[in-house]
Amino acid sequence: QVQLVESGGGSVRPGESLRLSCEASEGTLRQYVIGWFRQAPGKERVGVSCISITAGAKYYADSVKGRFTISRDKDTVSLQMDSLKPEDTGVYYCAAQVGHTAVQNMCAHTFRRADTIWGQGTQATVST
């Protein structure tokens, strides 16, 4: 089973950028739909962006459209986060589901499936 490792979090000011990466420490990401999820303190984990196996389909939450860009290349899935806002603060998790889950479904609810594979998370903090 693939194991996921996130990197790229940090502390920035509003308007600045961060680039998160999700890599496979074991196995390959190539047969997985991949998503990025954010969990703010005291709140539920929510889908931010998801990408299909071929990168032909991408989903963005309304709150990040036009500011975040998801991409994948071989065994790395990246999330470029521009024009960051304080409400983007949280722990960002990378998740993988084998097969051809529709990206909007994965980001909306199927990430709760028991067979979803999760990384350990990376903290992103946006504050003045």
Side-chain angles (χ1 to χ4, degrees):
Q1 176 171 294
V2 70
Q3 295 190 17
L4 307 176
V5 178
E6 301 99 332
S7 62
S11 295
V12 298
R13 298 183 184 277
E16 295 183 342
S17 299
L18 285 172
R19 185 177 181 87
L20 306 183
S21 293
C22 175
E23 297 178 313
S25 64
E26 290 187 18
T28 177
L29 298 182
R30 301 184 192 193
Q31 68 260 39
Y32 293 91
V33 177
I34 303 293
W36 283 99
F37 298 81
R38 179 179 65 233
Q39 188 160 19
K43 296 189 176 181
E44 292 188 348
R45 194 170 299 187
V46 296
V48 174
S49 183
C50 293
I51 188 167
S52 65
I53 291 173
T54 64
K58 301 175 184 179
Y59 168 88
Y60 297 96
D62 288 343
S63 61
V64 306
K65 282 181 182 175
R67 300 188 297 121
F68 289 13
T69 304
I70 193 170
S71 61
R72 67 187 302 164
D73 179 28
K74 296 180 181 179
D75 282 314
T76 300
V77 175
S78 300
L79 185 68
Q80 178 67 38
M81 307 191 295
D82 297 321
S83 303
L84 282 162
K85 304 176 180 180
E87 51 263 43
D88 296 321
T89 294
V91 179
Y92 283 76
Y93 296 91
C94 174
Q97 286 187 345
V98 69
H100 294 276
T101 302
V103 291
Q104 61 270 28
N105 290 341
M106 181 176 180
C107 265
H109 56 85
T110 65
F111 68 92
R112 297 187 178 92
R113 281 176 12 193
D115 62 345
T116 300
I117 301 166
W118 293 94
Q120 82 288 352
T122 185
Q123 175 72 42
T125 302
V126 186
S127 68
T128 55

